[in-house]
Amino acid sequence: MIRCLAYANSFVLAAVMLLPTAQAQQVSATPPDTAIDCQMLARMPNAPMTVDTCQKRMASHTAMMSALETPGGERAGDDRLTCNAITAEMKTLKVGGVTAANAAAGEAAGQDVMAIMQRAMAESMGMMATQTARSAAVAALPGNAAGHAAATANMAEQKAMQDRVTAEMSPARDRLETANTNSMGDLAKAMRANPRFARLMKLALERNCSG
């Protein structure tokens, strides 16, 4: 039985060859742990996703892993297939793969998340320089009042930036998770419709094929 963590880069790279657009590469390559209790996200500060998003992704992931076991795709000699042979055969199959709409949604959401991260990094570097200069300026002053004020200001600025980034990142991350969930659903549907596709995908996972 393939472990849940086997839904990794090799799985996605193999599937991409069958997709209608290159943007389908935005399908997530990170599997959720089936032991995750999505309800714990409700108690987690700055949770990486909402409870609803987590539950939907878990259900989609379970469906996809089940689809990998679709019967009827076995062929004599499967045990001798190399990654190159698996890839070559996949290219001959007629499968729908991830829809163009879900692929585009994943690409757009992924770009949004990346842009937010890059802006946050740039802002963080600028803030670090400003706060370092502020702390250095008060370090030589007598007493602790100036140093305390500088430290308080630094902490307030850091929290304000964290709150801003979280407010931007949370919905963007939810959009990305939704797109990934929908893409996993597309792949599960394609595997159920074509047992040979499911079999080859499972073989690619078992062999840890990377492209």
Side-chain angles (χ1 to χ4, degrees), residues 2-20:
I2 296 180
R3 298 177 182 177
C4 290
L5 290 180
Y7 179 60
N9 289 335
S10 56
F11 184 92
V12 178
L13 289 172
V16 162
M17 300 173 185
L18 305 169
L19 306 182

Side-chain angles (χ1 to χ4, degrees), residues 42-131:
R43 305 184 296 273
M44 184 184 302
N46 299 322
M49 67 183 79
T50 64
V51 172
D52 182 62
T53 298
C54 175
Q55 290 173 336
K56 288 179 179 178
R57 187 175 186 194
M58 290 295 293
S60 182
H61 179 265
T62 298
M64 189 181 67
M65 298 308 293
S66 177
L68 280 169
E69 305 297 333
T70 301
E74 299 82 1
R75 299 288 186 274
D78 279 355
D79 59 323
R80 298 189 298 275
L81 286 177
T82 64
C83 289
N84 287 339
I86 291 171
T87 297
E89 184 174 348
M90 278 186 170
K91 291 180 178 180
T92 69
L93 299 180
K94 303 295 183 182
V95 294
V98 177
T99 66
N102 286 336
E107 181 177 18
Q111 290 176 346
D112 284 347
V113 168
M114 183 62 67
I116 293 170
M117 291 175 62
Q118 290 173 342
R119 288 198 300 272
M121 184 175 296
E123 184 177 352
S124 178
M125 294 299 291
M127 180 183 297
M128 184 182 300
T130 298
Q131 293 185 348

Side-chain angles (χ1 to χ4, degrees), residues 100-189:
N102 286 336
E107 181 177 18
Q111 290 176 346
D112 284 347
V113 168
M114 183 62 67
I116 293 170
M117 291 175 62
Q118 290 173 342
R119 288 198 300 272
M121 184 175 296
E123 184 177 352
S124 178
M125 294 299 291
M127 180 183 297
M128 184 182 300
T130 298
Q131 293 185 348
T132 298
R134 177 187 295 152
S135 297
V138 302
L141 297 178
N144 298 325
H148 178 72
T152 299
N154 289 347
M155 291 177 62
E157 289 173 355
Q158 291 166 13
K159 185 179 185 306
M161 188 189 76
Q162 181 181 7
D163 290 346
R164 287 196 306 274
V165 172
T166 298
E168 284 187 85
M169 183 63 79
S170 292
R173 195 163 45 198
D174 279 346
R175 289 193 297 273
L176 180 58
E177 287 296 336
T178 296
N180 288 338
T181 295
N182 292 339
S183 294
M184 283 192 286
D186 289 342
L187 288 175
K189 182 179 179 180

